[in-house]
Amino acid sequence: MKNKRANEEQSMKDLMEIFKSKHRLNPGLNKVDVENAWMTQLGPAIKNYTNEVKFRNHTLTVHLSSSTLREELSYGKEKIIKTLNESLGRELISKLILR
């Protein structure tokens, strides 16, 4: 009987994807990726006013301590979503809620 593994070659990236899907890690890792993208892409000024970032079911909910900032960011929601998705390299966020 031949060794099945000797005939198969897969990249480390493919193996990681298989591992993540097998162990259902993708939702948790996506959440961490989205939260990190919010903190890095919008800069330190917005980071200082951010109290909480939640990601669930393609919806990003951000709690801000400044109502003025919340109002300003609400005008550019689509651009923010596009920027975050581009930095993530995939379309994870479809809706942004600012509170």
Side-chain angles (χ1 to χ4, degrees):
M1 180 176 201
K2 278 190 168 182
N3 185 354
K4 183 178 177 184
R5 291 183 185 190
N7 294 332
E8 293 181 17
E9 290 186 24
Q10 293 180 325
S11 70
M12 184 59 90
K13 181 178 179 182
D14 292 340
L15 293 173
M16 287 301 295
E17 289 301 320
I18 291 168
F19 179 81
K20 289 190 298 186
S21 64
K22 181 179 178 183
H23 296 285
R24 294 183 222 144
L25 298 175
N26 283 329
L29 293 172
N30 288 343
K31 179 182 175 190
V32 171
D33 290 343
V34 168
E35 290 173 0
N36 287 338
W38 173 267
M39 295 300 186
T40 57
Q41 291 299 312
L42 276 86
I46 293 175
K47 181 180 178 180
N48 290 337
Y49 290 103
T50 301
N51 294 334
E52 187 176 8
V53 179
K54 294 181 182 179
F55 179 69
R56 186 174 180 171
N57 298 330
H58 300 284
T59 302
L60 177 61
T61 305
V62 181
H63 294 265
L64 299 167
S65 61
S66 169
S67 60
T68 308
L69 177 62
R70 183 173 45 248
E71 188 68 27
E72 282 293 318
L73 292 178
S74 69
Y75 294 123
K77 280 185 180 181
E78 293 301 319
K79 184 176 180 183
I80 293 170
I81 292 171
K82 182 180 176 186
T83 302
L84 292 174
N85 282 331
E86 285 176 358
S87 73
L88 293 166
R90 54 199 185 276
E91 296 290 321
L92 287 178
I93 305 166
S94 60
K95 185 177 179 182
L96 175 62
I97 299 172
L98 301 170
R99 294 194 169 148

